[in-house]
Amino acid sequence: MIGQAVDRGSDLLADRVEHYTNVARDIGDTLRERGEPAAADLVQTVSKRGNEIARYLRTSDAAQMWSDAQDFARGRTWLLTGVGLVSGLALARTVRTAAGSGA
């Protein structure tokens, strides 16, 4: 059941990534037309990465994503620690703000 939820969520996320990838492609075209080739190349690179991410989200199942996340996290405990710290601070701020607005 969790796998199905992850699959549905990853499809929705892939749709959003594809949407913003198309927006980035349009921006890159506009930049190129306005004589900004370096900025256009940067945006096109981001757009290509977006397409790769969307394809990964559509073709990978929950088990594959979990395995890839574990492989990525190995040896990067500093990154996980940082993400946990930032997430905790954001959650604490949200709770504090919600408690303050209810009073």
Side-chain angles (χ1 to χ4, degrees), residues 81-99:
T81 302
V83 168
L85 175 67
V86 170
S87 299
L89 292 172
L91 180 61
R93 183 179 177 102
T94 301
V95 169
R96 188 174 51 234
T97 302

Side-chain angles (χ1 to χ4, degrees), residues 19-32:
H19 170 74
Y20 289 115
T21 297
N22 291 333
V23 170
R25 190 177 309 116
D26 292 343
I27 291 170
D29 292 342
T30 302
L31 287 169
R32 196 170 307 285

Side-chain angles (χ1 to χ4, degrees), residues 31-90:
L31 287 169
R32 196 170 307 285
E33 290 170 4
R34 293 186 180 195
E36 297 289 340
D41 290 343
L42 176 65
V43 172
Q44 293 296 333
T45 300
V46 170
S47 176
K48 287 178 185 176
R49 294 285 186 199
N51 284 333
E52 293 170 7
I53 291 169
R55 186 172 26 259
Y56 172 80
L57 289 170
R58 291 199 191 282
T59 59
S60 300
D61 63 354
Q64 179 64 42
M65 287 183 200
W66 179 247
S67 175
D68 291 343
Q70 287 177 325
D71 290 343
F72 178 78
R74 268 189 204 96
R76 293 182 177 95
T77 53
W78 58 269
L79 178 64
L80 296 177
T81 302
V83 168
L85 175 67
V86 170
S87 299
L89 292 172

